[in-house]
Amino acid sequence: MPHHTSLITLLCLGFVLAFLFGMLAQRLRLSPLAGYLLAGVVAGPFTPGFVGDQTLAPQLAEIGVILLMFGVGLHFSLKDLMQVRRVVVPGALARIVLMTALGFGVGRFFGWDDGTGIVFGLSLSVASTVVLLRTLEDHQLLDSRLGQVTIGWVVVEDLAMVLALVLLPPLADSLHGEQATPLLPVILKTVLKIGLFIAFMLVVGRRVIPWILERVAGTGSRELFTLCVLAVAMGVAFGAAAMFGVSFALGAFFAGMLLNESEFSHKAANDSLPLRDAFAVLFFVSVGMLFDPMILVQHPIQVLLTFGLIVAVKWLVTWASLRLLGERPGDATLAASALAQIGEFSFIVIGLAVSLKMMQPEVRDLVLAGALLSIIANPFLVTPLVGRVKRRRQLAGANTPGPMSELVNHTIVIGYGRVGRDLLRLLRDRGVPVALIEEDMDRVIQARGEGIPAVRGNAVLPQVLAGARPEAARLAILAIPRALEGGEVIAQLRKLNPEITVLARAHSEAEVKHLLAHGADAAVLAERELAHSLTDMVMSTPPYRPARTT
Ligand code: AMP
C-alpha cells in the first residue's frame, strides 16, 4: 500500500469496519462501543489481514478526544463544577491514591518492578470521559445531578492525570537510579502552567470566544457557525498544548466550558455533534488496534484480576466515597457503575510509561485487556440501574405527563424561566388552557406542582414537541432566550401543525429577523418592551405626568 494513502485507507476501513461491527453489536444487543473496539482489533497488527497505520491511528484518536472533551465542556459550566466540588474533589483524588497503592501492591505480588506497579495502578484509577459521556447521553442523564457528579469526577481525574503525566519522566529517572530531577520544581512548574492557562482562559477566552461566536451567528451562515465552533475547539486545544503545555483534551474542555455561558452553546453542541461522533468512533477503533488478543489465552488469571480491579474494586471505592460524602444510595450506585471503567487517559499514561521504560510491555497489554472488557461490560452494569432509577422517579411523579391528553385549543409555552413562568401565571389567571415544554427536570417538577401539564425535554426534538399536542393547539409561545434554537423549534412546530400561531421572544433585531424568517407570526424584542415600560413609568412620574384635569 503506498504510504501517502495510509490516512485515507485507515479512515475508510476504520469507518467501514466500525460500522459493520457496530451494527453487529447492536443486533446482539451489545453496546456499539464493543463493536468499534472489535473493528480495531481486526484492523490491528495482531490479527491477519489488513493492518492500519500504527502511527496515524493514535492521532485520529486524539482528535476524537479533543472533540469529546469540548462537548463535555459545552455541557459543563464552572457553576456545575463548584456545586459538586465537595463530593468530586476528595472522591476522585482518594480513588486515584487508593487504586495506585493497590496497583503497586498487585505489582509486588506478581513480581513486577515498582514503576510498573505504580503505573498499573494509576492507569486503572481514571475513568474514561468518552465512555461516561456515551452512557450519560444514551440515557439522557447529562443534565441530571448524576451527570454533574460523574462529569465533575472525571474532570478532576483528568486534571490530576495532566499532573501525573508531567511527573512520570522524573519519577522514571529516579526509579532507574539515575540522577533524578527533583520532583517539587516540576510539580510547581506544571501547576503554574495550568494556572496560567486557566487564568488566561477566564480573563481573555471568556470574553473573546462568546463574542466571536455571536458575531458569526449574526451573519446567519450555518456553515460559518459550525466552522467557528470547530475552529474554537481545535484552536484552543492546540494553543493550550503549544503555549502552556496543557493537554489538548483539557484545552478543548475549557473552550467548551467558556462557550457554555454563551446563549449559542446548544447550537454549538448540536453542530459539532456529527463530527464528534465520527471521531469518537475512530478513538475506539484505534484503541482496539493496540490490543493483542493472545493475552487472554496466555495470562487469563491476570486479565481477570485486572478486570476485577476495575469493575469491582473501583466500583466499591467509588461507591464508598460517594456515600461517605453524602450522596444518596441509588445515586451512588449508579455513579459508581458509570465510573467503573477505564479509557483514554489510561492509554496515554501507559503509552508514556512504556516509552520511558517504566512499564513492562506485557503489563500494558493487561491494562488494554482490562479496558476493553470494562468498556464492554459497562452498559450491562449501568442500563438496568438506570431503568430502576427512572421507574422510581416516575412513581414519584416526576415524569408523569399530566392531564395532557384532554387538551384542545390550548397554548403551548416553551420554557419555564424568567419569562415563561410569569406568562403561564398570567395566561392561567385569564382562563387560557396551557401546556408547558421545559428541558430542566427541576423546573418541570415545580410547574407540575402548580398544576401545569408539562413535558420534559428539548423542544427541538419532534418527540418532545409531540407530547404537548401541537396538532390540537391554537398558539405556541417560545419563551426561551436562544433564538437560533427557537427557529428550529418553529420549523418543527409548523410541520406538526401548519395552522398554529407562533409568538417568540427575541433579544436583538437579528434574532427578530431570524425568528420571523423561520415562520414566527410575531417576535417580541424584550429590550424594546422594557424601554416602553420604563417610558410609561417615567411619564407617570412628576413633573412629566400630565396634570390631571378635574
Ligand atoms: P430564562 O433564561 O430564565 O428565560 O429561562 C429559559 C427556560 O427555558 C429555562 O428554564 C430553560 O431550561 C428552558 N429552555 C431553554 N431552551 C429550551 C428548549 N429548547 N426546550 C425546552 N426548554 C428550554
Side-chain angles (χ1 to χ4, degrees), residues 93 159-167 183-200 240 243-247 250 254:
L93 294 183
L159 280 170
M161 281 306 122
V162 172
L163 198 63
L165 287 178
V166 196
L167 292 181
L183 287 185
L184 194 65
V186 182
I187 299 183
L188 285 181
K189 211 168 120 196
T190 312
V191 172
L192 189 75
K193 275 184 178 170
I194 298 180
L196 266 179
F197 170 70
I198 295 179
F200 178 79
M243 292 196 310
F244 298 94
V246 176
S247 69
L250 203 68
F254 261 92

Coordinates of all heavy atoms in Angstrom, one line a residue, residues 93 159-167 183-200 240 243-247 250 254:
L93 N -9.8 12.2 44.0 CA -8.4 12.1 44.5 C -8.1 10.9 45.3 O -7.1 10.2 45.2 CB -8.0 13.4 45.2 CG -8.0 14.7 44.4 CD1 -7.5 15.9 45.1 CD2 -7.1 14.5 43.1
L159 N -7.6 16.3 35.3 CA -6.7 17.3 35.8 C -5.5 16.7 36.5 O -4.4 17.0 36.3 CB -7.4 18.3 36.7 CG -8.2 19.4 36.0 CD1 -9.1 20.1 37.0 CD2 -7.3 20.3 35.3
A160 N -5.9 15.7 37.4 CA -4.8 15.0 38.2 C -3.9 14.3 37.2 O -2.7 14.2 37.4 CB -5.4 14.1 39.2
M161 N -4.4 13.7 36.1 CA -3.6 12.9 35.2 C -2.7 13.8 34.4 O -1.6 13.4 34.1 CB -4.5 12.2 34.2 CG -5.1 10.9 34.8 SD -3.8 9.8 35.5 CE -4.4 9.7 37.1
V162 N -3.1 15.1 34.1 CA -2.2 16.0 33.5 C -1.0 16.2 34.3 O 0.2 16.2 33.8 CB -2.9 17.4 33.2 CG1 -2.0 18.4 32.7 CG2 -4.1 17.2 32.3
L163 N -1.2 16.3 35.6 CA 0.0 16.5 36.5 C 0.8 15.2 36.5 O 2.0 15.2 36.5 CB -0.6 16.8 37.9 CG 0.4 17.3 38.9 CD1 0.9 18.7 38.4 CD2 -0.3 17.5 40.3
A164 N 0.1 14.0 36.6 CA 0.8 12.7 36.6 C 1.7 12.5 35.4 O 2.8 12.1 35.5 CB -0.2 11.6 36.8
L165 N 1.2 13.0 34.3 CA 1.9 12.8 33.0 C 3.3 13.6 33.1 O 4.3 13.1 32.5 CB 1.1 13.2 31.8 CG 0.0 12.3 31.4 CD1 -0.8 12.9 30.2 CD2 0.5 10.9 31.0
V166 N 3.2 14.7 33.7 CA 4.4 15.5 33.8 C 5.4 14.9 34.8 O 6.6 15.1 34.7 CB 4.1 17.0 34.2 CG1 5.2 17.9 33.9 CG2 2.9 17.4 33.4
L167 N 4.8 14.3 35.8 CA 5.7 13.7 36.8 C 6.3 12.4 36.5 O 7.3 12.0 37.1 CB 4.9 13.5 38.1 CG 4.4 14.9 38.8 CD1 3.6 14.6 40.0 CD2 5.6 15.7 39.1
L183 N 11.4 16.5 42.2 CA 10.0 16.5 41.8 C 9.4 17.8 42.0 O 8.5 18.3 41.3 CB 9.3 15.4 42.5 CG 9.5 13.9 42.1 CD1 8.6 13.0 42.8 CD2 9.3 13.8 40.6
L184 N 9.7 18.4 43.2 CA 8.9 19.6 43.6 C 8.9 20.7 42.5 O 7.8 21.2 42.2 CB 9.4 20.1 44.9 CG 8.5 21.1 45.6 CD1 7.2 20.5 45.9 CD2 9.1 21.8 46.8
P185 N 10.1 21.1 42.0 CA 10.1 22.2 41.0 C 9.2 21.8 39.8 O 8.5 22.6 39.2 CB 11.5 22.3 40.5 CG 12.3 21.7 41.6 CD 11.5 20.7 42.3
V186 N 9.2 20.5 39.4 CA 8.4 20.1 38.3 C 6.9 20.2 38.6 O 6.2 20.7 37.7 CB 8.7 18.6 37.9 CG1 7.9 18.1 36.7 CG2 10.2 18.4 37.7
I187 N 6.6 19.8 39.8 CA 5.1 20.0 40.2 C 4.8 21.5 40.1 O 3.7 21.8 39.5 CB 4.9 19.4 41.6 CG1 5.2 17.9 41.6 CG2 3.4 19.7 42.0 CD1 4.9 17.3 42.9
L188 N 5.6 22.3 40.7 CA 5.3 23.7 40.8 C 5.1 24.3 39.4 O 4.2 25.1 39.1 CB 6.4 24.5 41.6 CG 6.3 24.2 43.1 CD1 7.4 25.0 43.8 CD2 4.9 24.6 43.6
K189 N 6.1 23.9 38.5 CA 6.1 24.5 37.2 C 4.8 24.1 36.5 O 4.1 24.9 35.8 CB 7.3 24.0 36.4 CG 7.8 25.0 35.4 CD 9.1 24.6 34.9 CE 9.0 24.4 33.4 NZ 10.2 23.6 32.8
T190 N 4.4 22.8 36.6 CA 3.2 22.3 36.0 C 1.9 23.0 36.5 O 1.1 23.5 35.7 CB 3.0 20.8 36.2 OG1 4.2 20.2 35.9 CG2 1.9 20.3 35.3
V191 N 1.8 23.1 37.8 CA 0.7 23.8 38.4 C 0.6 25.2 38.0 O -0.5 25.8 37.6 CB 0.8 23.7 40.0 CG1 -0.3 24.6 40.6 CG2 0.6 22.3 40.4
L192 N 1.8 25.9 37.9 CA 1.8 27.3 37.4 C 1.3 27.4 36.0 O 0.5 28.3 35.7 CB 3.3 27.8 37.5 CG 3.4 29.3 37.3 CD1 2.9 30.0 38.5 CD2 4.9 29.6 37.0
K193 N 1.8 26.5 35.1 CA 1.4 26.5 33.7 C -0.1 26.3 33.6 O -0.8 27.0 32.9 CB 2.1 25.4 32.9 CG 3.4 25.8 32.4 CD 3.9 24.7 31.6 CE 5.3 24.9 31.0 NZ 5.8 23.6 30.4
I194 N -0.7 25.3 34.3 CA -2.1 25.1 34.3 C -2.8 26.3 34.8 O -3.8 26.8 34.2 CB -2.5 23.8 35.1 CG1 -1.8 22.6 34.6 CG2 -4.0 23.6 35.1 CD1 -2.2 21.3 35.3
G195 N -2.3 26.9 35.9 CA -2.9 28.0 36.5 C -2.9 29.2 35.5 O -4.0 29.9 35.3
L196 N -1.8 29.4 34.8 CA -1.7 30.5 33.8 C -2.7 30.3 32.7 O -3.4 31.2 32.3 CB -0.3 30.5 33.2 CG 0.7 31.4 33.8 CD1 2.0 31.2 33.1 CD2 0.2 32.8 33.8
F197 N -2.8 29.0 32.2 CA -3.8 28.7 31.2 C -5.2 29.0 31.6 O -6.0 29.7 30.9 CB -3.6 27.2 30.8 CG -4.7 26.8 29.8 CD1 -4.8 27.3 28.5 CD2 -5.7 25.9 30.3 CE1 -5.8 26.9 27.7 CE2 -6.8 25.5 29.4 CZ -6.8 26.0 28.2
I198 N -5.5 28.5 32.8 CA -6.9 28.8 33.3 C -7.2 30.3 33.4 O -8.2 30.8 33.0 CB -7.2 28.0 34.6 CG1 -7.1 26.5 34.4 CG2 -8.5 28.4 35.2 CD1 -7.3 25.6 35.6
A199 N -6.2 31.0 34.0 CA -6.4 32.4 34.2 C -6.6 33.1 32.8 O -7.5 33.9 32.6 CB -5.2 33.0 34.9
F200 N -5.7 32.7 31.9 CA -5.8 33.3 30.5 C -7.2 33.0 29.9 O -7.8 33.9 29.4 CB -4.7 32.7 29.6 CG -4.8 33.1 28.2 CD1 -4.2 34.4 27.9 CD2 -5.3 32.4 27.2 CE1 -4.2 34.8 26.6 CE2 -5.4 32.8 25.9 CZ -4.8 34.0 25.6
A240 N -3.4 25.5 23.8 CA -3.2 25.1 25.2 C -2.0 24.2 25.3 O -1.1 24.3 26.2 CB -4.4 24.4 25.8
M243 N 1.3 26.5 23.9 CA 1.8 27.6 24.7 C 1.9 27.3 26.2 O 2.8 27.8 26.9 CB 0.8 28.8 24.6 CG 0.9 29.3 23.2 SD 0.2 31.0 23.0 CE -1.4 30.9 23.7
F244 N 1.0 26.4 26.7 CA 1.0 26.2 28.1 C 1.4 24.8 28.5 O 1.5 24.4 29.7 CB -0.4 26.5 28.7 CG -0.8 27.9 28.6 CD1 -1.5 28.3 27.5 CD2 -0.4 28.9 29.5 CE1 -1.9 29.7 27.3 CE2 -0.7 30.2 29.3 CZ -1.5 30.6 28.2
G245 N 1.6 23.9 27.6 CA 2.0 22.6 27.9 C 0.9 21.8 28.5 O 1.1 20.7 29.1
V246 N -0.4 22.3 28.4 CA -1.5 21.6 29.0 C -2.0 20.6 27.9 O -1.8 20.9 26.7 CB -2.6 22.7 29.3 CG1 -3.9 22.0 29.8 CG2 -2.1 23.6 30.3
S247 N -2.7 19.6 28.3 CA -3.1 18.6 27.2 C -4.1 19.2 26.3 O -4.9 20.1 26.7 CB -3.6 17.3 27.9 OG -4.8 17.6 28.5
L250 N -7.6 18.9 27.8 CA -8.0 19.9 28.8 C -8.3 21.2 28.2 O -9.2 21.9 28.5 CB -6.9 20.0 29.8 CG -7.3 20.5 31.1 CD1 -8.2 19.5 31.8 CD2 -6.1 20.8 32.0
F254 N -11.9 23.4 28.3 CA -12.1 24.8 28.7 C -12.8 25.6 27.7 O -13.6 26.4 28.0 CB -10.7 25.4 29.1 CG -10.5 25.4 30.6 CD1 -9.9 24.3 31.2 CD2 -11.0 26.4 31.4 CE1 -9.7 24.2 32.5 CE2 -10.9 26.3 32.7 CZ -10.2 25.2 33.3

